Amino acid sequence: MKLLGKHLDKDGSGYVTLRPDDDEDIWHLYNLIQEGDRVRASAVRRVQNVSATGSIESHRVRLNLTLAVARVTWSPSTAAAGEAASFSTDASTSTSAPAHAATLHISGRVTSENPHVKMGAFHTLDVEVNRDVRIEKDEGGWDSIALGRVEESCVPGRGAEVAAIVCGEGTATFCLLSQHMTMVMHRLEVSIPRKIAANSGAHEKGLTRFYSALFTSFLRHIPYSSPTIRAIVIASPGWVRDAVFDYIMAEATRTGNKALLSTRNKFIKVHVTSPHVHSLVEVLKSPEIASQLKETKFAREGIMLDKFFKMLGADEMRAWYGPVHVALAADRGAIGTLLISDDLFRASDPIMRKKYVQLVEDARQKNAEVLIFSSMHESGQPILTFPLDVEVVEAEEREAKEEEERRKQAEENGEDVNAG
Amino acid sequence: MSRHRDVRNINVAGKMFQALGNETRLISHSHSDELDDGAVSDGGEEDLSPQEYEQLMSGLDHIRATVGSQEQSGLSDKEIKDTLYHYFFNVEQSINYLLEAQTRKIAARERKAAKEREKAEKLAQQKKAAEASAKLPPAKPKKATGAKLSGASTPVRSTDIRQLDLAGLNLDDETVLPIDEPPPKITVAREKVLEEARKQLEGNADKKTVSLVVIGHVDAGKSTLMGRLLYELGRVDDKTRKAHERASSKIGKSSFSWAWELDGTTEERERGITMDIALQSFATPRRQITILDAPGHRDFIPNMISGASQADCALLVVDAAVGEFEAGFERGGQTREHLLLVRSLGVSQVVIAINKLDQVQWSQARYKEICKLLRPFLIQSGFHPSKTKFVPVGAMAGVNLVARDGDEAQALNAWYSGPTLCDLLDELEPPTRDLDAPLRFPVANVFRTPSSVIAVSGRVCGGLVQVGERLRIVPGDETAVVKAIESEEERLEWAAAGSNVTLHLTAVDPRHITIGSVLCPPTDVVPLVTSFTARIIVFDIQVPITAGTSVELFHHSRDVPASISKLLATLDRASGTVLRKNPRVLAKSMSAEVQITLRSTTVSGPTARAQPIPLEPFSVNKEMGRILIRRGGETIGAGIVTELN
């Protein structure tokens, strides 16, 4: 993303003009724009003119509109295709990403005067890559979280990506992992008849069919020769990954695909325990990957989350989750590391958002580490699915904490911890 | 608190249900007795006794007085008589029924006023035909009792009630008769089949059928033991054996030659490891046994679960070699995990074959040591001591499988005089089967037979299935017709709950059936859910379960990503009473009530939506209500579905 202009007042009001470069930037915009903000972007609108004689003339006009945001919807690049996946699993059913990328729709009333559109008329803006967007927020709107995101998204050269194929016998999911998103590019399902004791012909035929389908999808969906791809991970339980890798290389040799052959050393085979997408978390934790991607955000998230769960198991008193518990811990300055989902900052209720922002700022002030998890990442999914959505790891002051715990217990008995 | 108490506790509910099932069965028996009396004298008015004939005629007069003549009412004498017969000459009920039928007819006629008369007449005829065909030959009295029978055993819906329901929906146009209706021949046979099946299960049949899953740590010798056993029992001929021996020694894996009978794929043979379930069958003197040879490697536990959910009993194979047994039995070994898994899937009988004793010179001390180590764990896992049997074997040499003669067995004979493995398998008791439940057939494999017919294999989990029947495939909107039923290379006319069979299907595109689909009657469809409440037992885990934990949910042959969305309560393991509401975490060996929500398999992120899976509460169908929860390649819990939401 490019920052084209920025005008902020001390009270946190003002505007920022941005130009998104790729899908991930669209995701950032989705996280920045909130209900009540004013967004200015170019739009195409059909304008009708009624002449004096009553004949209607309509034409399309490209114009810049400013909306007061009422609703923001975001769809990942694969959402439409994902629906179609359903149960059809014939010889080789697959769902692929359409050519167009992620989209963001912003709807609301027009608030600026305009020769073509009346004030107060509804419009829906489609935000696309390479189109400028100006986001204007009211007082207090540009808080530390929002500004942090703008800054983060505008750092150049953050495009290091990892391609991953998570496969099992008959299933494969092609994903691209970037800083903030896990994009499922493609899902492949080939029904392979299971072995029947003596006669294995059908099974093996099915396997070959699967490998060849996988290879073609690989070529289509994984930008293997792109320099931004740092690694291509093949993950699976059992030995499927070996077979898949061998097949890809054999086919590359057979078809003389030099570009693919030269990326041979980018391939990493990782053992995971299930063929589902969520085993990407395991991929990120595996030593082969962790060492390569140590500094990247998602690797760090995976590691911290793992640490949290371990602590929850080993020493329950030091790991807490849920807004009530976390707020209490924050009050007492007991937070060592705060893990929080970005989903919370999208909360439409500004008071709620303010509360969470406050929480993060407080924690930062007390030298605690704060990790904001992306809900578009597999590693962020567990937090997202926590009904209470926030969690805290560790407090240095054990004694204080234990005392606190007793108090908490008492409180908890009284009031039901509500998810809200 | 030990684990077994809780597992038993779960079973209490099951037993109650069983008891209930028995009761309904009794009721239906008494009905079918009546039914037989009636069936002797069927075929029409001629067979009626004089009194009955008189009742019939006076009833007819009564009804005619109420509904009017044939022209007025559109009801023929025959229809009235049939109805009377149906209601045992009870005039009032018959009138009610007829009036209903009449209004239905009129409504239908009015709706299609344009095409009317002829069509309406045809319709009436069709309808008559429908009623006739539903009640027909040896049928009239039988039909009546049939309807009652199904009333007693609630889950089964007879054709009669179904018709009424359909009629109530005013669906009476040309397609009055849904094509789904099985031909009359089958409807009649159903009663007979039910009886036959029941008879067989009650032990009147010559051989009871039992399915057996073979479990144990990787490389314990499961496949080898099975291969050898099949050979000893004459299921494998010398020619095949020799071929396997030659081929396996050719790639330098001669020690796996016995396993080759079950490990059919190239990869399995090359690696010397079972990767998927192999299905075989053999007969002992008193039992017909279906074996499901499960893979022991931890990466293939999903396949093992698919096999175990099709089994009644388990055969645990343990390696007696020093160090090997311990490796399999310690934390993370599959001996433990497999035992817990099969127990959670409802297997209560287990035979433990202590294998490779030849490698420890048939040492009795070692045998005893292993038994001693296993026993407490078995009890803890919920296996009743009377239902666990131990037997020493040597699979490679074939010692103590069927017999104990020959030189190899000398050392064993010195201290062991108990039963052979085959003797123990011969004593396995099949569990009670639920015949009255609606049909449930979770598909474990889809393939094409050599003659290119679509075939599905799996186990009938309740009810029975017949050739010619039309079945609904869930999930999805498709149906298929059963063309043939195959079991152990034999063609069957029907298959009842508990049997492992292959169904050949027609009138369906194979793309609509996947591994994990459930076949069921079109009238009684399995519910589809994305979220449900379950009562689970947490296994021995390191990292506790928090709300939001991502898990894999296993149900029969299907595994789907899910998350534990809510921790509702922790329960007392013995009594099941609520200990604490909304717990924060679930630690190991707790029992709890949780809500599980499926996750989307296609996309991640906020817009993702999950595909529902077919599932039923445990109280409705036990086999359809058992689930397993795994995380990171480790089974973290097992449970039963209590409620669908």
Side-chain angles (χ1 to χ4, degrees), chain B residues 343-361:
Chain B
R343 187 65 195 94
S344 324
L345 290 171
V347 170
S348 58
Q349 296 172 70
V350 60
V351 175
I352 294 125
I354 296 174
N355 192 15
K356 302 195 189 175
L357 271 171
D358 46 341
Q359 290 184 13
V360 289
Q361 287 74 48

Side-chain angles (χ1 to χ4, degrees), chain A residues 146-182:
Chain A
L147 287 175
R149 203 171 252 279
V150 171
E151 219 163 279
E152 200 180 348
S153 63
C154 294
V155 175
R158 68 188 150 75
E161 289 182 333
V162 171
I165 311 167
V166 184
C167 43
E169 229 168 67
T171 63
T173 314
F174 297 82
C175 317
L176 270 185
L177 285 83
S178 56
Q179 208 61 274
H180 290 269
M181 281 162 62
T182 302

Side-chain angles (χ1 to χ4, degrees), chain A residues 321, chain B residues 547 567-570 580-586 590 592-593:
Chain A
Y321 71 93
Chain B
L567 309 179
L568 297 173
T570 51
R580 188 177 163 200
K581 288 215 160 179
N582 299 321
R584 209 163 72 89
V585 289
L586 301 180
M590 274 184 173
E593 198 162 276

Side-chain angles (χ1 to χ4, degrees), chain A residues 89 194 204 238 271 312 321 386, chain B residues 266 276 299 514 546-547 584:
Chain A
T89 40
R194 297 168 74 167
E204 258 138 54
H271 177 261
L312 197 59
Y321 71 93
F386 277 136
Chain B
T266 331
D276 206 345
D299 275 358
T514 53
T546 53
R584 209 163 72 89

Side-chain angles (χ1 to χ4, degrees), chain A residues 176-410:
Chain A
L176 270 185
L177 285 83
S178 56
Q179 208 61 274
H180 290 269
M181 281 162 62
T182 302
M183 274 180 292
V184 178
M185 305 295 288
H186 183 74
R187 229 171 78 85
L188 178 76
E189 223 168 276
V190 176
S191 71
I192 301 178
R194 297 168 74 167
K195 74 166 187 188
I196 305 162
N199 157 36
S200 67
H203 175 75
E204 258 138 54
K205 235 190 247 165
L207 268 183
T208 336
R209 213 170 50 215
F210 169 58
Y211 292 144
S212 68
L214 193 146
F215 182 69
T216 42
S217 326
F218 175 83
L219 291 183
R220 194 173 308 146
H221 297 286
I222 303 289
Y224 50 87
S225 53
S226 149
T228 57
I229 294 283
R230 203 185 289 194
I232 301 168
V233 178
I234 305 179
S236 83
W239 292 283
V240 182
R241 60 182 179 282
D242 295 331
V244 166
F245 177 69
D246 293 345
Y247 189 90
I248 289 177
M249 282 306 145
E251 277 298 293
T253 318
R254 197 177 63 79
T255 53
N257 188 338
K258 290 238 173 65
L260 181 51
L261 283 172
S262 68
T263 56
R264 193 187 183 99
N265 54 2
K266 276 192 192 171
F267 281 89
I268 305 174
K269 288 180 271 182
V270 180
H271 177 261
V272 292
T273 50
S274 87
H276 301 297
V277 189
H278 68 237
S279 52
L280 273 178
V281 182
E282 277 174 59
V283 171
L284 297 178
K285 269 188 283 186
S286 69
E288 300 97 311
I289 296 297
S291 62
Q292 282 233 356
L293 307 171
K294 220 180 290 165
E295 71 278 29
T296 58
K297 184 173 147 69
F298 51 78
R300 177 140 186 79
E301 285 173 357
I303 293 163
M304 283 317 289
L305 198 61
D306 205 31
K307 198 169 146 202
F308 170 78
F309 282 123
K310 285 225 173 88
M311 193 174 283
L312 197 59
D315 192 352
E316 217 187 296
M317 293 296 113
R318 291 175 66 201
W320 292 92
Y321 71 93
V324 180
H325 289 167
V326 173
L328 275 167
D331 276 356
R332 292 168 179 75
I335 296 179
T337 310
L338 175 70
L339 315 178
I340 189 161
S341 166
D342 65 1
D343 199 38
L344 289 173
F345 300 114
R346 275 202 303 278
S348 50
D349 181 0
I351 301 159
M352 283 290 281
R353 180 181 160 107
K354 207 167 268 174
K355 218 173 76 188
Y356 290 122
V357 173
Q358 193 64 40
L359 179 70
V360 171
E361 279 170 358
D362 282 358
R364 280 210 177 114
Q365 234 168 36
K366 283 167 188 140
N367 282 330
E369 191 182 354
V370 178
L371 285 179
I372 301 177
F373 278 55
S374 170
S375 49
M376 261 312 280
H377 250 315
E378 275 307 315
S379 60
Q381 290 283 317
I383 322 189
L384 190 65
T385 41
F386 277 136
L388 312 171
D389 271 322
V390 194
E391 37 180 315
V392 174
V393 187
E394 99 182 70
E396 276 72 37
E397 314 85 338
R398 280 290 304 280
E399 292 87 350
K401 189 88 194 204
E402 262 155 48
E403 183 192 285
E404 196 179 297
E405 156 68 5
R406 256 169 259 130
R407 223 178 309 159
K408 244 181 237 175
Q409 286 291 356

